Amino acid sequence: MAEAAEAAEAAEAARTGVRRGRVVEGVRAYGLIAGMWIRSTMAYRTSFALTAFGNFAMTALDFVAILLMFSRVDALGGYSLPEVAFLYGLSGVSFGLADLAIGSMERLGRRVRDGTLDTLLVRPAPVLAQVAADRFALRRLGRVVQGLLVLGYALAVVDIDWTAAKVLLLPVALISGAGIFCAVFVAAGAFQFAAQDASEVANAFTYGGTTMLQYPPTVFALDLVRGATFVLPLAFVNWLPASYVLGRPYPLDLPGWVAFTPPLAAAACCALAGLAWRAGLRSYRSTGS
């Protein structure tokens, strides 16, 4: 019995070591590929500056639309302009970081259709890392900068009774929100193994999700809020932590401690997205060309 237990422990340790090795290998491959694309981008610095500014300007139009709304009303769903700007900043930065890191996942459907995914399968590097870093677009920093500026404005003008817990919650919410959006990108990529031409469906949950989070939960129907909390947990990106920071009622009358659970939600989303990715990759049968 003791020998069997020791063998089982050794086998589990070996599997754990293999998984850790794959993660390290994936991070290294991602860094090398992304670094290659960054060097390629910076070879044309004027072009990079113009495209980054264009990305900044296009995403800024979303906040301009909110400003136009508040030129006619004093509150939106009971939230003032600084409070809505706070929601906007949290979701904008979180999504911007995810879009910068693995936004290239949206091109997976094209690779599945034309068979170019085969070239990634034969390389000695994890496929997910290669797809995520493919054509790494540094210009997407414009979205992150724009979100940070709006968040900075909100923090400067919104009335918040700051505590140590609220200060610590902000970076945790941003990182967790980015993790949740990364999981959505990966899950949407896995869906394209089956649908092949479903980039717009994926965009409905990625770009559409961040657009929804820019507004207070009080302007949406309860069923939509339930879906964004319990089905696709985008509410953990900003609605729940922002409710704690702003001292607002929680959506769906949830308990106060849920504001501190975005890391758990992000971990669960990433685990499920990983399972979906592995299932999708196993189902890939190439084009036969």
Side-chain angles (χ1 to χ4, degrees):
M1 292 294 292
E3 292 178 355
E6 290 176 0
E9 290 178 1
E12 180 61 28
R15 287 193 294 268
T16 301
V18 169
R19 286 195 294 268
R20 288 176 180 172
R22 293 288 291 174
V23 170
V24 172
E25 182 184 354
V27 171
R28 180 177 178 275
Y30 177 90
L32 291 173
I33 297 170
M36 176 191 69
W37 285 106
I38 291 173
R39 289 191 297 272
S40 174
T41 298
M42 297 311 293
Y44 304 93
R45 302 195 176 205
T46 302
S47 176
F48 162 70
L50 291 175
T51 54
F53 177 77
N55 188 271
F56 173 92
M58 288 187 64
T59 55
L61 291 177
D62 291 337
F63 191 65
V64 171
I66 293 175
L67 292 176
L68 291 175
M69 290 182 193
F70 275 94
S71 68
R72 299 297 181 182
V73 299
D74 295 326
L76 186 63
Y79 281 64
S80 65
L81 175 58
E83 291 173 323
V84 173
F86 185 68
L87 293 175
Y88 180 101
L90 284 178
S91 66
V93 174
S94 295
F95 178 78
L97 292 173
D99 189 39
L100 174 67
I102 62 172
S104 297
M105 292 292 299
E106 64 186 16
R107 281 193 287 270
L108 179 63
R110 185 183 308 169
R111 283 190 172 276
V112 172
R113 290 194 305 274
D114 61 23
T116 55
L117 184 64
D118 295 0
T119 61
L120 306 185
L121 293 173
V122 298
R123 293 174 182 171
V127 179
L128 179 57
Q130 295 183 71
V131 175
D134 183 41
R135 297 186 179 275
F136 186 88
L138 195 61
R139 67 178 184 277
R140 289 173 176 155
L141 275 175
R143 180 186 291 272
V144 179
V145 172
Q146 190 265 339
L148 285 172
L149 290 176
V150 175
L151 182 60
Y153 157 76
L155 293 175
V157 299
V158 74
D159 185 18
I160 298 176
D161 183 17
W162 288 106
T163 63
K166 291 181 180 180
V167 172
L168 291 174
L169 183 58
L170 279 182
V172 170
L174 290 174
I175 296 172
S176 301
I180 291 172
F181 275 123
C182 283
V184 175
F185 270 112
V186 173
F191 177 68
Q192 294 190 61
F193 280 111
Q196 297 186 9
D197 191 14
S199 59
E200 294 305 321
V201 175
N203 290 343
F205 294 97
T206 52
Y207 294 94
T210 189
T211 300
M212 179 185 71
L213 294 177
Q214 293 169 2
Y215 298 92
T218 50
V219 305
F220 298 105
L222 283 179
D223 287 340
L224 181 59
V225 176
R226 291 190 186 99
T229 304
F230 301 115
V231 180
L232 184 64
L234 295 177
F236 290 84
V237 174
N238 67 343
W239 283 351
L240 295 175
S243 296
Y244 176 80
V245 174
L246 297 174
R248 285 280 184 174
Y250 286 73
L252 308 175
D253 296 323
L254 294 170
W257 54 264
V258 298
F260 297 92
T261 58
L264 298 179
C269 288
C270 289
L272 292 174
L275 293 175
W277 174 261
R278 284 192 288 272
L281 192 59
R282 283 195 298 267
S283 69
Y284 178 65
R285 292 296 179 267
S286 185
T287 59
S289 59

